[in-house]
Amino acid sequence: MGTPVPMNAGKIRVMLVDDHAVVRVGFRVLLEMSGEVEVVGEAESGETAYREFARIQPDVAIMDLSMPGMGGIETVRRLLARDRSARILVLSAHEDSAHPRRVLRAGALGYLSKRGAPEELLDAVRAVAAGRIYLEAEIARRLALHDLAAPGQSIESLSEREFAVFIKLARGESVQAIAQTLSLSPNTVGTHLYNIKQKLGAGNQAELTLIAVRNGLIEA
């Protein structure tokens, strides 16, 4: 393991985790223009972020969810399992209620939509760096409405691991590929698949995809 990057007093040290280089460049420019933030590291995948986090030691990791490989939620879960003090802000295209709920359960402190106002990103970084929870107002509203209107919705019956498998299945990934990405045996993924189908009333992978699309969890 390399030597930790030295602290830059007075600035919030940020690590950007997104599989699109142009997105990382945009966020870097936006954040560093404020004069309050220094981008001290970048990663194009959850696997890279997990390897580099301890070396870089950012104050805040800004993370996308929809990345190849193990993806954002699994990365959040693994980072916090290794370092409970890690402060993570998720910046995602997903605007449903299920993804923010899962992210917060995994231990992230913040959730913003990529369609949100650019100036809100800096507010969120400040809050998360200070150890406070930050939710975009519209996402917080959807979470509250979901709790009032549909506390027993079937998607919520999935465990954290089942939800991770469900999203990958809905995107068309094979059992073997999911097993490799999530460090599970194919038999374990098969068991999760059976349980997911039972809980969601789905007969095959195509129906799982349809359920995910209808719930706004993936794009058609």
Side-chain angles (χ1 to χ4, degrees), residues 10-208:
K11 289 192 176 183
I12 300 171
R13 303 173 69 259
V14 165
M15 180 180 189
L16 300 174
V17 187
D18 194 295
D19 58 316
H20 294 102
V22 67
V23 173
R24 298 197 304 273
V25 169
F27 289 153
R28 175 187 284 272
V29 171
L30 178 63
L31 290 168
E32 293 191 337
M33 279 179 59
S34 70
E36 298 179 45
V37 174
E38 180 187 10
V39 176
V40 293
E42 297 185 17
E44 75 285 353
S45 69
E47 288 83 349
T48 302
Y50 184 77
R51 285 197 310 269
E52 293 295 307
F53 188 89
R55 180 185 67 83
I56 294 171
Q57 295 183 7
D59 299 318
V60 178
I62 300 177
M63 188 173 303
D64 186 28
L65 287 187
S66 300
M67 297 181 290
M70 65 184 179
I73 294 180
E74 181 69 10
T75 305
V76 171
R77 188 185 69 79
R78 293 190 188 187
L79 282 174
L80 284 158
R82 188 173 65 181
D83 181 2
R84 295 306 303 173
S85 67
R87 293 174 178 177
I88 301 172
L89 168 64
V90 168
L91 194 60
S92 173
H94 296 291
E95 298 179 23
D96 55 273
S97 62
H99 277 96
R101 189 182 306 276
R102 302 280 172 170
V103 162
L104 294 174
R105 284 178 184 169
L109 288 178
Y111 194 104
L112 280 182
S113 163
K114 284 186 175 179
R115 299 180 187 178
E119 58 270 19
E120 190 167 16
L121 175 58
L122 186 57
D123 290 339
V125 169
R126 290 192 194 105
V128 171
R132 301 193 305 270
I133 292 175
Y134 191 100
L135 285 176
E136 185 177 319
E138 176 60 21
I139 291 172
R141 185 186 72 84
R142 292 184 185 184
L143 285 172
L145 289 175
H146 182 276
D147 288 341
L148 290 171
Q153 190 177 23
S154 58
I155 293 291
E156 292 302 316
S157 69
L158 300 179
S159 69
E160 300 304 314
R161 182 63 79 191
E162 287 169 350
F163 184 80
V165 172
F166 164 61
I167 293 298
K168 291 185 176 298
L169 286 167
R171 289 184 177 137
E173 294 187 32
S174 69
V175 168
Q176 291 288 344
I178 295 170
Q180 182 174 6
T181 299
L182 297 182
S183 301
L184 301 172
S185 72
N187 286 341
T188 298
V189 175
T191 299
H192 286 315
L193 173 56
Y194 174 81
N195 291 335
I196 291 164
K197 287 179 178 178
Q198 293 297 306
K199 290 181 178 182
L200 301 184
N204 53 45
Q205 193 164 355
E207 290 182 12
L208 291 176

